[in-house]
Amino acid sequence: MRRRMLFSTLVVAVIAVLLLGLPLGALTYTTIHTQSTSQLQQEADIIAAEVDDELEDQSTVNLERLTEVHPGRHIEIELARSGEVLQAGGWEYDPGAPDAPPSLRATSTSRAGNVITVWRDTQRLQESILNAWAGIASLSLLAIGVAVGLAMLQARRLTLPLVDLAATAERLGSGVATPWGHRYGISEADRVAEVLDRSAERIAGLIATERHFATDASHQLRTPLTALSMRLEEIIAEADKPEVVREEGEAALAQTERLVETVESLLGRARKSQNPEAKVVELDEVLERFVAEWRPILRAEGRDVELAGERGLRAAVAPTDLTQIMATLVDNARKHGAGTVTVRTVQGGGSVRVEVSDEGPGIPENLSGRIFEREVTGGNGTGLGLALARHIAESEGARVELILARPTTFALFLPPGGGQTSSPV
């Protein structure tokens, strides 16, 4: 592209110089020739007047003076009285010679009838014309050089944005989705750059969504899979007791169904689809089933989980999301806490609150303000669970907060469901 621009600019500049230079050269030639002829005619008229004065005063013509005054001229004076032809001037010239050099001639007739003819050599005239043409050619070459230089600058100004935009597109294709942010002062290139930057932001968002989905899915599926594996181990251990096997098999099947629901919820959120529809649920039913599923996991580690607080509470929340949030909070207490994990339901302040606490040492002060940030953890965890729990809660119009650092107590604030009556446990 740069070569094409340079070539086209050079062609245009040469054509423009020819269209202007050739007429200017012809005009220069005509002007110099006309001026020289007019000047020679004025000299002839002046000489004619001087000859008349000298003949009238002295009856003779001072040819030596004319030769000194006009060294580059050949002058012939034809006297009207006698018909005699006098010659003067510092240039030896024979008009009748066949090899006479090119010359200019001017003729003037005085008042007394004397005919004055003046010749001048055209060599100097040609030199003046050649010098003028050389100046025109120099200016033409300078104009072409300036045009080529400007074309190179303009070609660089136009092609560099294209090279930069191509590099930006290559970066996007290789997976580097950081907006470049370059602008070039060219409206068309700037529009393309803006589109590429917006595309980079969208691609970065998609990559971040996919990455978060992968990490969130791995985190959220770990606990259900652990519970499912424990159920299967119970089945294997109690294989000789049909009733126990049946009970554990049903629990494993329920856990599998909940696992499927968790996967579908994560996929829907990753694809930016609508969140699971919130509906009014009986917290007692959901939390009792949840605690029953987690009790074997904690007892296997020598700990326990209890359900306390007010009964008969209802909240507007999607059951799947509620289970995921509670699983994250209880699993956090299992990994980083100690003793019995207590799930407590409380109503007040225009919301229904579900608290999860344990008997561990609590959260260090340096982490309490950042505990909900991604990849922030106080132990060997991934630092994803609490951030994901808060994100899921916010998508439901709820929120998760740390209300006590010692002992560690998290609270899930849910929108209340209508027509509920509460009673203490």
Side-chain angles (χ1 to χ4, degrees):
M1 180 177 178
R2 185 176 299 181
R3 291 182 179 178
R4 291 182 179 179
M5 293 184 64
L6 291 177
F7 179 75
S8 60
T9 303
L10 180 61
V11 170
V12 171
V14 170
I15 292 175
V17 166
L18 291 177
L19 291 177
L20 294 176
L22 292 179
L24 183 59
L27 179 62
T28 300
Y29 173 83
T30 302
T31 300
I32 293 177
H33 193 276
T34 301
Q35 289 178 352
S36 299
T37 302
S38 177
Q39 180 182 359
L40 190 63
Q41 184 63 47
Q42 290 178 1
E43 291 181 8
D45 293 339
I46 293 172
I47 293 173
E50 292 176 351
V51 168
D52 284 352
D53 293 339
E54 290 181 355
L55 290 176
E56 184 177 349
D57 295 339
Q58 305 175 5
S59 299
T60 60
V61 178
N62 190 348
L63 298 178
E64 294 180 359
R65 186 186 66 81
L66 291 176
T67 300
E68 294 177 358
V69 174
H70 305 282
R73 305 291 186 269
H74 179 74
I75 304 170
E76 289 186 357
I77 304 171
E78 184 179 352
L79 299 179
R81 295 179 181 177
S82 60
E84 182 182 2
V85 177
L86 304 177
Q87 294 183 358
W91 182 40
E92 296 294 334
Y93 178 70
D94 184 4
D99 56 348
S103 62
L104 289 179
R105 187 182 71 172
T107 301
S108 177
T109 303
S110 67
R111 296 187 304 273
N114 300 315
V115 179
I116 310 300
T117 304
V118 181
W119 286 267
R120 66 166 294 182
D121 188 7
T122 59
Q123 182 177 359
R124 293 184 179 179
L125 177 63
Q126 292 175 354
E127 291 177 355
S128 298
I129 294 174
L130 291 176
N131 290 335
W133 284 354
I136 294 173
S138 299
L139 292 177
S140 300
L141 293 176
L142 178 61
I144 292 175
V146 171
V148 171
L150 293 176
M152 293 178 65
L153 292 177
Q154 189 68 11
R156 178 181 176 84
R157 182 171 179 266
L158 293 177
T159 54
L160 283 182
L162 297 180
V163 174
D164 197 30
L165 291 174
T168 303
E170 180 66 23
R171 290 173 59 252
L172 290 179
S174 62
V176 181
T178 305
W180 199 244
H182 287 184
R183 297 297 181 268
Y184 314 99
I186 303 173
S187 58
E188 293 80 2
D190 288 345
R191 283 198 296 270
V192 175
E194 290 174 1
V195 171
L196 286 177
D197 285 347
R198 289 197 297 269
S199 299
E201 292 175 356
R202 288 194 295 268
I203 293 173
L206 292 174
I207 293 175
T209 299
E210 295 297 330
R211 185 180 296 115
H212 290 166
F213 167 73
T215 55
D216 295 347
S218 63
H219 182 276
Q220 293 299 99
L221 296 179
R222 184 184 299 114
T223 301
L225 288 174
T226 301
L228 182 58
S229 65
M230 292 184 65
R231 294 293 184 182
L232 294 176
E233 289 173 358
E234 290 290 336
I235 293 175
I236 295 172
E238 304 294 338
D240 56 342
K241 300 179 182 179
E243 294 181 358
V244 176
V245 171
R246 180 179 180 84
E247 181 181 351
E248 293 297 331
E250 291 176 352
L253 180 60
Q255 193 68 34
T256 303
E257 293 175 351
R258 192 159 296 110
L259 182 62
V260 173
E261 294 177 357
T262 300
V263 172
E264 291 178 349
S265 176
L266 289 171
L267 284 174
R269 190 170 288 107
R271 294 169 181 169
K272 306 293 185 182
S273 61
Q274 296 182 350
N275 294 320
E277 182 180 357
K279 61 182 179 179
V280 177
V281 298
E282 298 288 345
L283 290 182
D284 293 344
E285 179 182 351
V286 176
L287 294 179
E288 287 174 359
R289 183 174 65 247
F290 174 79
V291 170
E293 292 175 355
W294 272 87
R295 183 168 287 122
I297 300 176
L298 289 169
R299 286 181 176 177
E301 299 178 357
R303 301 172 61 184
D304 201 356
V305 57
E306 295 181 353
L307 178 62
E310 303 179 25
R311 307 301 297 270
L313 298 182
R314 307 172 72 190
V317 63
T320 303
D321 288 346
L322 175 59
T323 302
Q324 288 190 56
I325 297 171
M326 293 301 300
T328 299
L329 298 179
V330 173
D331 188 52
N332 184 77
R334 180 180 70 86
K335 289 181 179 179
H336 305 290
T340 300
V341 179
T342 302
V343 178
R344 185 183 306 276
T345 55
V346 181
Q347 182 177 14
S351 64
V352 175
R353 187 167 75 249
V354 181
E355 299 177 357
V356 177
S357 60
D358 63 78
E359 300 172 350
I363 298 176
E365 293 182 1
N366 62 329
L367 291 179
S368 59
R370 304 173 54 233
I371 197 65
F372 289 102
E373 296 181 12
R374 292 182 71 90
E375 300 181 1
V376 173
T377 179
N380 298 324
T382 62
L384 300 174
L386 293 176
L388 178 58
R390 171 170 279 189
H391 174 70
I392 296 174
E394 290 175 351
S395 68
E396 290 285 343
R399 72 180 193 275
V400 176
E401 300 290 347
L402 175 65
I403 59 176
L404 282 177
R406 290 184 177 86
T408 304
T409 304
F410 290 96
L412 170 62
F413 296 86
L414 298 171
Q420 61 187 5
T421 58
S422 63
S423 59
V425 176

